[in-house]
Amino acid sequence: MGGLEVKTKDGDFISATPIEGTVLVYIGDLMQIWTKDKLVKTVHRVIIPESENRQSSRQSITYFGHPDSNFVIKCIDGSDKYPPITGGDYLHQRFEVTY
């Protein structure tokens, strides 16, 4: 079952075709910060392909991991590409932007 699309650097969405026997792991903001952009989050969306029966059900499993509120988030290589921030402050910041 397809439908996942990822945004390219040019701003176009392309299909992320499922590969049998694999699991897709989305890299989020924190992993991008910790790795100093070695792993980069991807803007994505899910659409129901025209060829798919729109009456059938779909399921997706989402898991969000987050550090403790007092844990300091910073690049693991010791650089200062992103300023250090606590887990609690980071979560609050994300909520302010999102909601």
Side-chain angles (χ1 to χ4, degrees), residues 16-33:
T17 307
I19 301 171
E20 189 172 335
T22 64
V23 174
L24 178 71
V25 177
Y26 171 72
I27 300 298
D29 298 351
L30 287 177
M31 191 65 75
Q32 183 170 334
I33 292 170

Side-chain angles (χ1 to χ4, degrees), residues 50-68:
E50 291 293 327
S51 61
E52 190 174 308
N53 178 357
R54 294 177 182 259
Q55 300 303 313
S56 62
S57 64
R58 313 175 58 103
Q59 293 185 11
S60 179
I61 299 173
T62 305
Y63 174 80
F64 294 94
H66 188 76
D68 290 339

Side-chain angles (χ1 to χ4, degrees), residues 30 33-34 66-67 71-75 82-88 90:
L30 287 177
I33 292 170
W34 282 323
H66 188 76
F71 180 82
V72 178
I73 300 165
K74 57 186 177 180
C75 296
Y82 296 98
I85 187 170
T86 65
Y90 179 79

Side-chain angles (χ1 to χ4, degrees), residues 9-23:
K9 291 180 181 179
D10 296 328
D12 300 318
F13 280 94
I14 60 171
S15 177
T17 307
I19 301 171
E20 189 172 335
T22 64
V23 174

